[in-house]
Amino acid sequence: MAKTSKAKEMEGDVYYPSEQVIAQARLKDWDALAEKAGKDLEGFWSDEASELEWFKKWDKVLDDSNKPFYKWFVGAKTNIVHNAVDRHLNTHRKNQLALIWESEDGKQERTFSYFAMNREVSRMANIIKAMGVQKGERVTIYMGRVPEIVFAMLACAKIGAIHSVVFGGFSVDSLQGRIDDSESKLVITCDGSYQNGKIVELKNIVDEAVKRCPSVENIIVVKRTGQPVNMEAGRDHWYHDMCALPIANGKCATEVMDAEDPLFILYTSGSTGKPKAILHTHGGYMVGTYSTLKYVFDINDKDRWWCTADPGWITGHSYIVYGPMVAGATSMLFEGGPTFPYPNRWWQVVERYGITVFYTAPTAIRGLMRFGEAWPNKHDLSSLRLLGSVGEPINPEAWKWYFRVIGKDKCPIMDTWWQTETGAFMIAPTPVVPLKPGSGTRPFFGQEAEIVDEQGNPVPDDTEGYLTLKNPWPAMLRTIYGDDARYVNQYWTKYPGRYTTGDSAKRDKDGYYWIIGRVDDVIKVSGHRLGTAEVESALVSHPAVAEAAAIGLPHEVKGQAIHTFVLLRSGFSPSPELAEELRQHVSTHMGPIARPEDVKFLDKLPKTRSGKIMRRVLKARAQGLPEGDISTLED
Ligand code: WT7
């Protein structure tokens, strides 16, 4: 990796791959493959899919006869677990590690070979079946970062049940809404989880949530912290007790699934209303996560790959669990965070396990930068060969620190732009692509991105506009579970025939894409996606609040932070104590990640004449910027 004289060929700050990186790369000629895939989209994806095992091959790669309800690998039979686990058992990978886990306190380490993974997943699959869960039914998983969350996801997939993982940092209301919407019969949870040395009482939160979820019949509880929890006879079952039953043996057949059968739903925040259940399928998602990880991170089965995300977000689904295991790599799952007990915790893990590829979020890098170089410099990070970034734009300053201090000037940084909806990387380089700090470079093979104006006309280079995607791709969401109309409206209506991402971006003269941010009411707090509507409804559930508005404002470490404005009911008056109570209220109801940075009391919220809150105006005022077009403002 060097800034050579070649930098003249491209504009801006360019980092070219070193000869060593090129020599190691599986794909040397990016342009040739991009051109080939561009000419023959179906041929490209057919080749990728052919590297995996199918019970029955497809009749057709892509069916676009009923747009935007695209179908991939039509007529094919498979199961993602067959490729993530079963197929490795007949190869040299059988005794290689699939998963390495380390506890937050560093005192426990658990490792699972692919052979062991098959046993654990089969056991849990048998237990889930014994709870009466059938193919196509939903199971909510609400757990901490423990190996059993991986078993639970794969176990559902193995028997054809649809998992719905809810991030363990969410709280009662968020969990309740998601269980209820999915009509899950079964919830899998833990007694508690650890966060920075403190216990998060997961089971208590589940108990609270299911009071308002009539669909739930059974709750499986994995013991992690050992603190006392309420166990309701007939409904709640300790996982370790069930593992002792004869049915919980290590043999369970993998269900034959149609390529288009649902694999999971994952709730994500949209611009308005309640979170959307994004639906992904066995076949296309499997091929998409496999192929992107293979090319972008050049993953092979000798790699020790570590994605620091939580399995409860799409990044964890695609790149802790499914992608790495389909690729036959070793995936690291670390229970803790980067700075507990000290800011060297992650680098300790990299050194201890010889991590080769490390994938994290800009917010974490910015947070760690503040503690200085001495912490990473205490550790031998020489096993690293590639780095990755995801979740929000990475500022060049953080990029350069990451490159120099963590990657020692030799590890290219793969900045991957994608979404819960896309399932897999959409704009991302490969190791041989010259990099520009802050850009995800170009669309992945087979994809074309276009930046357009309000009317859908392409804008000139270096001009900000709406980011759209022109081609379908296998790992694309298939719908919003239970709401096809919302799927069509949300993603395919503003610019018919193309996918609307909700992001604004620019393209430079070299064809590199620069993401600017969301154009809707989605806030990215520390890379986590939250909706203003959810925060607002948590606020108005407090007796003092009549109306509320939430906006995201720039934050040095978090990227964006939540700022709120409330109008009090009569009888309540503004005070610092009430502001603090409201922040706590949001945290208790939604989860600590949604705790507002501040609460401001207003006598009036800026609204349109039709009564819609103008968050744009609040945002401009808060930043001291011009308010823009306010002709629709009430008065
Ligand atoms: C939104 C999607 C699936 C990745 C994890 C987040 C932003 C994501 C990048 C990046 C700039 C990024 C976008 C996108 N985003 N990756 N590399 N550079 N922005 O998934 O929670 O569904 O959020 O995250 O705004 O729309 P998500």
Side-chain angles (χ1 to χ4, degrees), residues 45 51 83 86 111 116 163 252 254 421 436-437 480 502 504 528 579 629:
W45 286 114
E51 292 179 11
N83 280 289
D86 307 5
T111 57
H163 60 70
C252 174
T254 299
E421 292 87 340
K436 301 189 189 188
I480 293 171
S504 65
H528 298 325
D629 178 8

Side-chain angles (χ1 to χ4, degrees), residues 25 29 78 94 145 168 184 202 218 231 233 237 248 254 278 338 352 370 413 429 454 480 482 517 548 559 576 619 631:
D29 194 342
T78 189
K94 177 176 171 181
R145 281 195 290 273
S184 294
L202 296 177
N218 290 290
M231 295 293 282
H237 318 271
T254 299
I278 304 301
R352 189 175 290 170
R370 296 194 308 173
I413 300 174
E454 200 63 43
I480 293 171
K619 225 169 156 160
S631 58

Side-chain angles (χ1 to χ4, degrees), residues 107-126:
K107 290 184 184 148
Q108 290 178 63
E109 175 188 323
R110 295 168 70 190
T111 57
F112 301 88
S113 64
Y114 278 95
F115 177 81
M117 186 57 78
N118 178 51
R119 180 190 64 228
E120 297 298 330
V121 172
S122 297
R123 272 208 311 184
M124 193 167 305
N126 283 327

Side-chain angles (χ1 to χ4, degrees), residues 268 314-315 389-393 415-421 501 503 515 517-518 524 527 529:
T268 192
I314 191 70
T315 314
S389 176
V390 62
E392 41 168 340
D415 182 351
T416 60
W417 176 89
W418 59 296
Q419 309 178 302
T420 305
E421 292 87 340
T501 64
D503 278 4
I515 305 297
R518 301 286 311 188
K524 300 286 320 232
R529 178 165 163 181

